Amino acid sequence: MTLPARARVEAAPRFLGCLREVEAFFVEQDEASAADRLRQLRSALRTMIDVLAWAPASGRPARFAASRSARGRVSAASVLELARRIGLPHVREYIVEQHVVLYAHSDSEVVLLALKHQRQLAYPDPSDR
């Protein structure tokens, strides 16, 4: 029995920026628990990466793509264009604790684009570097 090939999972610069912003928020919110909370989030993200490597389509379809507002449509178009430019035809979301990860993928590659808290209305623009 042959196992399927694992997809390559990478983080875009904007995703790493989002992670730094989460860390700063944790510190601002409660410095005493910030390190533990960040460690827990990073552990959950590592688990997500393992899942996406085996099954890139594991997340749900990106909900923002069906936005009705003008701002939402512009943002969705920007993300979909970015995914198209990097050759990844699908854009999905993966829930990690209280955060949502936006990612683009094909069968063999996954690029983590952005991260937001579930209460945030919009993702940061993943094309910002």
Side-chain angles (χ1 to χ4, degrees):
M1 178 174 150
T2 304
L3 292 175
R6 289 175 53 103
R8 182 177 59 161
V9 181
E10 298 179 340
R14 184 64 193 129
F15 179 84
L16 298 174
C18 291
L19 200 51
R20 287 189 297 274
E21 291 167 14
V22 167
E23 179 178 13
F25 177 77
F26 284 171
V27 169
E28 181 182 316
Q29 191 178 44
D30 179 19
E31 191 170 354
S33 68
D36 285 338
R37 292 167 60 205
L38 185 62
R39 198 171 8 266
Q40 183 178 354
L41 177 59
R42 287 180 183 264
S43 175
L45 288 169
R46 280 191 293 279
T47 299
M48 175 202 71
I49 288 168
D50 286 344
V51 170
L52 292 178
W54 288 109
S58 293
R60 68 184 183 203
R63 291 182 177 178
F64 77 93
S67 179
R68 294 181 190 208
S69 73
R71 179 175 185 243
R73 287 194 307 267
V74 167
S75 178
S78 171
V79 170
L80 295 171
E81 173 59 21
L82 174 64
R84 187 196 62 74
R85 275 188 289 148
I86 60 177
L88 301 175
H90 310 288
V91 178
R92 301 182 76 81
E93 296 173 322
Y94 196 101
I95 308 301
V96 177
E97 295 184 350
Q98 294 186 31
H99 292 83
V100 184
V101 175
L102 177 67
Y103 70 97
H105 76 92
S106 66
D107 290 339
S108 61
E109 186 175 6
V110 175
V111 176
L112 308 177
L113 300 173
L115 171 74
K116 73 177 186 86
H117 190 276
Q118 65 184 356
R119 292 184 182 172
Q120 287 177 280
L121 294 177
Y123 290 100
D125 186 344
S127 62
D128 289 349
R129 295 184 184 235

